[in-house]
Amino acid sequence: METIRINDNVSVTSISMTKLKTTSIGVYIHRPLKAETAAENALLPYVLKSGTALCPSREEIAKYLDDLYGATMGATVLKRGEDQIIYFDAETISDSYAPDGEKPVAGLLKLIMSAVFDPYTVNGAFDEKIVEQEKLNAKDRIDAFMNEKRQYASARCQQETARGTSFAIPRYGEKDRIDGITAKSLYEYYASIMTSSVIDIYICGSGSIDEAAAAVREYTDKLEFSPAQIPSTEIITRGGGELHEVTEHMDVAQGKLALGFLTNVRPGDKDFFALTVFNSVFGAGAHSKLFNNVREKLSLAYYASSQLEKFKGMIIVNAGIEFENFQKAYDETLVQLEEIRKGKITELEFESSINAILNLCNSYFDDQRALVTYYVSDRVAGTDMPLEAFIEGIKRVTPGDVANVAKKLRLDTVYFLAGKEEA
Amino acid sequence: MELTFRKNELTGESMYCGVHSSGLGIYIIPKKEYSGSYAIFGTRYGSVDSKFIVPGETEVTEVPDGIAHYLEHKMFDQPDGSNVFDKFSKYGGNANAFTSFNITAYLFSATANFEENLAALLDYVQSPYYTDETVAKEQGIIGQEIRMYDDNPGWKLFFNYINCLYSKHPVKKEIAGTVESISHITADYLYKCYETFYNLSNMAIVITGNVDVDREIKVIEAGIKKNEPFTEPIRKIYPEEPAQIASPYAEKKMAISSPMFMMGFKDTDVGMDGKSLLKKNIEISILLRMLLGKGSAIYKKLYDMNLINNTFATDYTMQPDYGFTAFEGESKDPQRVYDIILDELEKVRDKGLDRGDFERAKKVMWGKYIRSHNDIEDYAVTFIQLLFMGIDYFDYYDVYKTVTYEDAVDRFNTHFVRENSALSVVKPL
């Protein structure tokens, strides 16, 4: 891994991975997640990928990419803790696999840099037609949040657990903010953030870092930057208190139960390794206690699992159940947590959990996006830990550490997506 | 056993393959620089295979719908009461299985202890153990899996769509069956299906990633249990499917934000496998890119009219005996999308296909093929799916290079036929 700092805000990092036949490029523009700007940050990538100075329309971009053997370029917004990231992702076959000796990597770099730094504009504003279309699409995206019930229940539980913090703001922002955005106001916003944000660019595969840096400098040399930082996130440390209970009704065939636990562990804490292993023992996989008890022993669910939201220090448990089995599934989840607290972790459960995490981490070395995602997340969390060091940290965890960290968990929120309300 | 070595100069990949005396097909594609490795052990048996004649018998066997999927779940129970996941978990293998219309497959990925995981895979897939008690236990879990799909609008959209296209073929049925159909499944039925479709001569194993050919082949040879290969094929019985569609339109209301649609064409040029099937696939994929890709005039028109957004996508599903294209997305007015696409396709028919578009779309197919080598899991799954259709994915180029503009024109005329089209819509409540 090699990094070139273009200036105080912008950096280019190269990760070589020539065993893959592709090269991928990622651009991450870090913005604080705030109610006032969340919708603009979410709209912006969709406008930027619809027209660039190099290819002023969607069709021209699509044809340009198809000519590079079907290279891809996408743009969206990510939410990592309270960092709302405007994210571009592009991928092409590496030069050595282009049958006629073309240079698809250079071609793709040129397009993505044009999309990020040199959008298609009309009289100092974005193209009005593009902006109006993407405003409609942005509203649809916000509305579509409810469509996938399993993810919806999980995300709603995260929001409820993170109530009162910026993390409760949805990834795509709020719909009522969209109407006020114009082609001119969005362009002005874009121009202001491009020089006042941390921008991380990654090239992974067979690309040359110097070539990538040169493609970036072509644009950044003309700009004046002001100091910027990566937005930081604090975990939730709400003290004890009443359980926060939320029930929503929707016309669904299956109830979705989600439990939000606070862990009091930060990504940089010594305990974080034990928390990661705890999550695996508790509910991350077919070896876990939730899978083997809620699903296999009691036949209550097809899925019953836990996931770690490390930036906010939360663990969310999800299960799809018959409505009337709410209490059974809830009780069994807490019973399993109690078992871990008491140190009742079998050798097999423990070993399987460690191995599952190691297997996942090692697989990142075969996956350009996964590896880059790890490092972006590491940067946002401020942990500064190479993947190899994270793997070593996991190997040092003991069953006792897992039992101890389990004692830190406190159930904060119970969310239930129930069926249609009885009239 | 003897393995054949093959090398592909265009991709740089190597493959070792052969057929074991048990009838099992073995395919190993080593990628030494990878951290991970992957194995998939599959059978030519899916949700459409509920009616068949066992080799050596004359009577037709008919079993409840959803049984292939049920059997997949029950393979994880072991005679000693243990759960197979435990074995993989111990060795750090990430094990899973899936059932599709035509395939059931058992798989794992690992970054360590590959041989131990491989031995575990071979062992459990060859160790059926079903009792009425363990079979009954699964009713609750699969019942919840079916319920989960009941709440999935994309899944409902898809099944309503293929129910428009097909009136008889079992592809129209839900893979997991229904809560009612699975209530009839017994241990005896499971054994009957197992003894038929899990004969090793009906199966194949594909291994890729950081593996050692000599070591893996030893593990496989040691892991193969006694098996008498069938000397005649399993006769799968499908009802006669008429060429015409069952219904042009389906609609369902669910708790969603805006209408979703899926439309496309029933493939009536079926009954082929191997190279001709792959060639048809490449032709249709090229046409979908040319006609409905992001750079196409139809996409632009619909997008500019705010009738589609960037969830719009196209796909072609193929098997020797059925096939269909599917275009899906979200729209305020699905019927209008349908009408515009069909009208615009008529205009293309009059004007002719653009040669430049054809060449560009063909390049995209090559890029996709190259890219498909990246992910060992995706590659192995694609490889085995195509293998079971008689297609050699390793030598994709041999077929790819033969596809001409004229082939695309012919395919356009046979596939994109208005009478064979249908529209499925899921609307908000």
Side-chain angles (χ1 to χ4, degrees):
Chain A
M1 195 155 86
E2 186 188 353
T3 298
I4 293 182
R5 300 210 60 87
I6 304 287
N7 59 40
D8 288 345
N9 292 2
V10 184
S11 68
V12 179
T13 300
S14 159
I15 301 174
S16 169
M17 202 189 277
T18 53
K19 63 187 163 190
L20 267 60
K21 300 187 199 310
T22 54
T23 296
S24 63
I25 304 165
V27 178
Y28 299 80
I29 306 171
H30 300 271
R31 297 303 305 164
L33 180 61
K34 286 191 209 155
E36 306 87 87
T37 52
E40 274 166 305
N41 287 335
L43 175 60
L44 202 46
Y46 291 90
V47 170
L48 293 174
K49 74 170 170 185
S50 299
T52 84
L54 182 68
C55 298
S57 67
R58 282 184 207 92
E59 311 75 73
E60 280 162 284
I61 292 172
K63 286 185 174 165
Y64 184 101
L65 289 165
D66 281 359
D67 271 325
L68 302 175
Y69 293 91
T72 60
M73 183 175 78
T76 186
V77 72
L78 307 172
K79 180 170 137 181
R80 293 287 177 271
E82 282 153 15
D83 184 359
Q84 194 187 16
I85 304 172
I86 296 165
Y87 166 54
F88 289 79
D89 167 70
E91 184 194 85
T92 175
I93 59 171
S94 295
D95 294 354
S96 48
Y97 294 98
D100 298 324
E102 304 100 314
K103 302 263 180 248
V105 177
L108 188 62
L109 262 172
K110 202 169 149 188
L111 179 67
I112 191 171
M113 290 311 147
S114 172
V116 174
F117 291 106
D118 197 11
Y120 173 61
T121 56
V122 185
N123 302 322
F126 286 124
D127 182 321
E128 202 175 319
K129 198 171 137 210
I130 289 176
V131 172
E132 290 309 315
Q133 275 172 338
E134 293 311 324
K135 278 164 69 177
L136 288 176
N137 292 338
K139 288 182 192 172
D140 287 346
R141 242 184 325 273
I142 291 170
D143 288 339
F145 177 46
M146 66 179 289
N147 290 357
E148 297 300 329
K149 306 296 180 289
R150 186 173 163 175
Q151 287 88 331
Y152 174 79
S154 179
R156 282 287 298 118
C157 181
Q158 289 196 21
Q159 276 185 325
E160 291 294 337
T161 312
R163 64 195 176 279
T165 75
S166 298
F167 191 76
I169 299 165
R171 172 181 170 192
Y172 293 117
E174 300 287 356
K175 214 169 142 185
D176 56 11
R177 302 266 172 181
I178 293 174
D179 281 333
I181 301 172
T182 66
K184 180 117 183 110
S185 74
L186 190 66
Y187 182 72
E188 283 163 3
Y189 179 71
Y190 160 80
S192 74
I193 68 165
M194 288 308 288
T195 52
S196 61
S197 305
V198 172
I199 301 178
D200 294 327
I201 298 161
Y202 289 84
I203 177 159
C204 189
S206 311
S208 131
I209 187 167
D210 295 322
E211 207 178 295
V216 176
R217 283 206 181 92
E218 216 176 288
Y219 297 102
T220 53
D221 283 354
K222 296 174 228 158
L223 298 172
E224 293 255 351
F225 289 84
S226 55
Q229 267 116 41
I230 289 185
S232 68
T233 306
E234 188 42 70
I235 62 162
I236 301 168
T237 51
R238 192 180 299 131
E242 273 185 33
L243 204 54
H244 180 55
E245 291 174 273
V246 181
T247 300
E248 279 185 60
H249 294 275
M250 224 187 253
D251 190 359
V252 289
Q254 181 187 56
K256 317 295 187 225
L257 172 66
L259 303 178
F261 293 88
L262 299 181
T263 68
N264 261 304
V265 178
R266 292 175 177 78
D269 289 355
K270 199 166 64 36
D271 273 349
F272 186 73
F273 298 110
L275 183 67
T276 306
V277 179
F278 162 81
N279 182 53
S280 187
V281 173
F282 190 36
H287 59 275
S288 70
K289 288 196 180 279
L290 293 179
F291 185 93
N292 284 299
N293 292 286
V294 178
R295 172 176 151 141
E296 293 294 311
K297 196 179 83 194
L298 301 179
S299 296
L300 291 172
Y302 170 69
Y303 70 90
S305 62
S306 66
Q307 66 186 99
L308 177 57
E309 172 31 70
K310 68 173 180 179
F311 298 103
K312 294 304 282 183
M314 308 189 288
I315 281 183
I316 309 291
V317 167
N318 294 293
I321 53 173
E322 289 293 323
F323 302 118
E324 66 268 22
N325 286 334
F326 171 89
Q327 198 61 42
K328 279 188 201 160
Y330 174 90
D331 290 345
E332 187 62 21
T333 303
L334 296 185
V335 165
Q336 293 310 318
L337 174 61
E338 206 45 49
E339 291 286 293
I340 302 177
R341 284 176 169 159
K342 285 186 206 145
K344 288 190 182 161
I345 306 165
T346 66
E347 201 183 316
L348 180 67
E349 283 169 338
F350 182 74
E351 208 182 327
S352 302
S353 297
I354 298 278
N355 283 335
I357 298 166
L358 298 182
N359 188 34
L360 183 67
C361 289
N362 282 317
S363 74
Y364 295 169
F365 293 113
D366 295 340
D367 183 336
Q368 294 170 348
R369 284 187 181 88
L371 192 58
V372 170
T373 298
Y374 172 84
Y375 280 104
V376 170
S377 165
D378 173 63
R379 234 167 109 64
V380 175
T383 35
D384 197 19
M385 182 172 304
L387 182 53
E388 292 83 352
F390 180 77
I391 290 172
E392 288 311 310
I394 292 293
K395 285 182 185 164
R396 283 195 294 270
V397 174
T398 66
D401 298 338
V402 173
N404 283 332
V405 85
K407 290 174 192 147
K408 290 188 156 192
L409 259 73
R410 189 175 67 72
L411 180 61
D412 177 271
T413 297
V414 180
Y415 173 89
F416 192 50
L417 182 61
K420 248 196 325 210
E421 213 154 4
E422 306 279 319
Chain B
M1 60 175 285
E2 285 288 311
L3 292 173
T4 308
F5 172 76
R6 294 169 63 190
K7 172 104 187 152
N8 185 319
E9 296 300 335
L10 291 167
T11 61
E13 300 289 337
S14 304
M15 176 165 81
Y16 298 80
C17 56
V19 177
H20 185 264
S21 57
S22 61
L24 179 68
I26 300 166
Y27 302 82
I28 304 175
I29 302 133
K31 291 168 184 274
K32 281 290 183 194
E33 287 140 20
Y34 273 64
S35 304
S37 28
Y38 183 87
I40 181 165
F41 188 11
T43 163
R44 295 166 173 89
Y45 173 49
S47 65
V48 299
D49 302 313
S50 292
K51 210 171 166 185
F52 50 89
I53 300 173
V54 180
E57 294 182 7
T58 49
E59 295 279 297
V60 174
T61 302
E62 198 166 358
V63 293
D65 288 332
I67 198 163
H69 172 258
Y70 211 97
L71 201 160
E72 173 225 305
H73 271 240
K74 292 327 291 172
M75 284 313 297
F76 287 88
D77 290 343
Q78 292 295 281
D80 60 4
S82 68
N83 185 312
V84 170
F85 283 122
D86 292 350
K87 271 191 200 156
F88 287 101
S89 297
K90 187 169 152 58
Y91 296 119
N94 185 7
N96 213 333
F98 68 82
T99 306
S100 65
F101 293 129
N102 297 79
I103 294 179
T104 311
Y106 302 83
L107 51 97
F108 71 88
S109 64
T111 51
N113 309 316
F114 185 78
E115 282 78 30
E116 287 83 352
N117 282 301
L118 179 60
L121 174 71
L122 289 159
D123 180 55
Y124 90 84
V125 178
Q126 295 177 86
S127 310
Y129 175 71
Y130 320 118
T131 66
D132 285 332
E133 192 188 330
T134 60
V135 170
K137 194 201 85 174
E138 210 66 19
Q139 304 266 357
I141 296 170
I142 296 181
Q144 286 311 309
E145 188 177 3
I146 292 170
R147 285 258 186 279
M148 181 180 80
Y149 283 117
D150 283 344
D151 280 341
N152 186 322
W155 188 260
K156 291 288 145 197
L157 182 74
F158 174 68
F159 272 94
N160 287 348
Y161 174 58
I162 43 184
N163 273 281
C164 284
L165 300 183
Y166 290 91
S167 48
K168 297 261 168 37
H169 197 286
V171 66
K172 66 200 263 111
K173 294 179 181 174
E174 295 257 7
I175 290 166
T178 63
V179 172
E180 203 279 324
S181 76
I182 63 172
S183 70
H184 303 295
I185 293 175
T186 60
D188 285 347
Y189 276 136
L190 293 179
Y191 276 114
K192 182 87 182 179
C193 292
Y194 182 88
E195 296 305 337
T196 307
F197 292 104
Y198 286 68
N199 184 295
L200 292 176
S201 57
N202 193 45
M203 299 182 76
I205 187 163
V206 179
I207 291 173
T208 183
N210 186 6
V211 296
D212 180 285
V213 178
D214 292 336
R215 281 209 309 265
E216 311 330 336
I217 208 72
K218 279 196 190 101
V219 174
I220 293 173
E221 288 192 295
I224 289 175
K225 300 188 180 175
K226 194 174 172 315
N227 183 73
E228 289 297 323
F230 288 144
T231 49
E232 52 183 292
I234 303 164
R235 282 189 46 212
K236 299 176 174 180
I237 298 165
Y238 304 126
E240 187 78 28
E241 173 66 32
Q244 63 267 36
I245 57 167
S247 158
Y249 183 75
E251 184 179 311
K252 183 178 169 67
K253 287 195 161 67
M254 290 179 81
I256 56 167
S257 58
S258 68
M260 299 162 70
F261 69 91
M262 183 178 278
M263 62 168 288
F265 299 87
K266 180 176 183 174
D267 191 349
T268 52
D269 181 24
V270 293
M272 62 182 90
D273 60 7
K275 286 189 170 161
S276 0
L277 183 57
L278 178 60
K279 184 152 184 271
K280 179 171 73 169
N281 177 295
I282 296 171
E283 290 161 1
I284 292 184
S285 302
I286 287 174
L287 287 165
L288 291 178
R289 193 78 176 190
M290 293 170 71
L291 300 167
L292 295 159
K294 287 197 163 81
S296 68
I298 299 180
Y299 186 93
K300 178 177 161 51
K301 180 167 184 162
L302 292 168
Y303 202 102
D304 285 349
M305 291 173 80
N306 297 319
L307 283 171
I308 58 169
N309 56 32
N310 61 15
T311 60
F312 184 79
T314 63
D315 190 31
Y316 173 59
T317 298
M318 63 163 179
Q319 279 294 328
D321 58 323
Y322 65 88
F324 51 88
T325 47
F327 327 142
E328 65 175 313
E330 294 164 6
S331 180
K332 302 274 172 281
D333 193 347
Q335 186 64 51
R336 204 126 173 256
V337 173
Y338 174 86
D339 291 340
I340 291 174
I341 288 181
L342 286 179
D343 289 349
E344 291 297 318
L345 289 173
E346 281 314 312
K347 288 184 201 161
V348 173
R349 201 181 306 280
D350 297 338
K351 247 178 32 201
L353 294 167
D354 183 277
R355 275 181 192 270
D357 288 349
F358 170 81
E359 292 303 333
R360 193 181 302 110
K362 195 176 169 191
K363 274 175 102 172
V364 173
M365 294 310 125
W366 183 246
K368 279 193 173 177
Y369 177 65
I370 291 295
R371 294 227 296 264
S372 74
H373 291 79
N374 271 359
D375 186 304
I376 51 175
E377 168 159 4
D378 290 351
Y379 183 83
V381 171
T382 303
F383 187 94
I384 200 165
Q385 283 173 334
L386 295 181
L387 176 75
F388 287 170
M389 299 175 209
I391 294 170
D392 177 10
Y393 195 54
F394 194 77
D395 273 340
Y396 177 90
Y397 186 76
D398 279 0
V399 176
Y400 170 81
K401 70 180 177 200
T402 66
V403 177
T404 64
Y405 171 82
E406 286 70 28
D407 293 330
V409 172
D410 289 347
R411 183 59 58 192
F412 176 77
N413 289 323
T414 51
H415 184 75
F416 295 85
V417 176
R418 188 181 280 265
E419 296 76 61
N420 298 339
S421 70
L423 170 67
S424 161
V425 179
V426 175
K427 286 187 172 168
L429 294 167

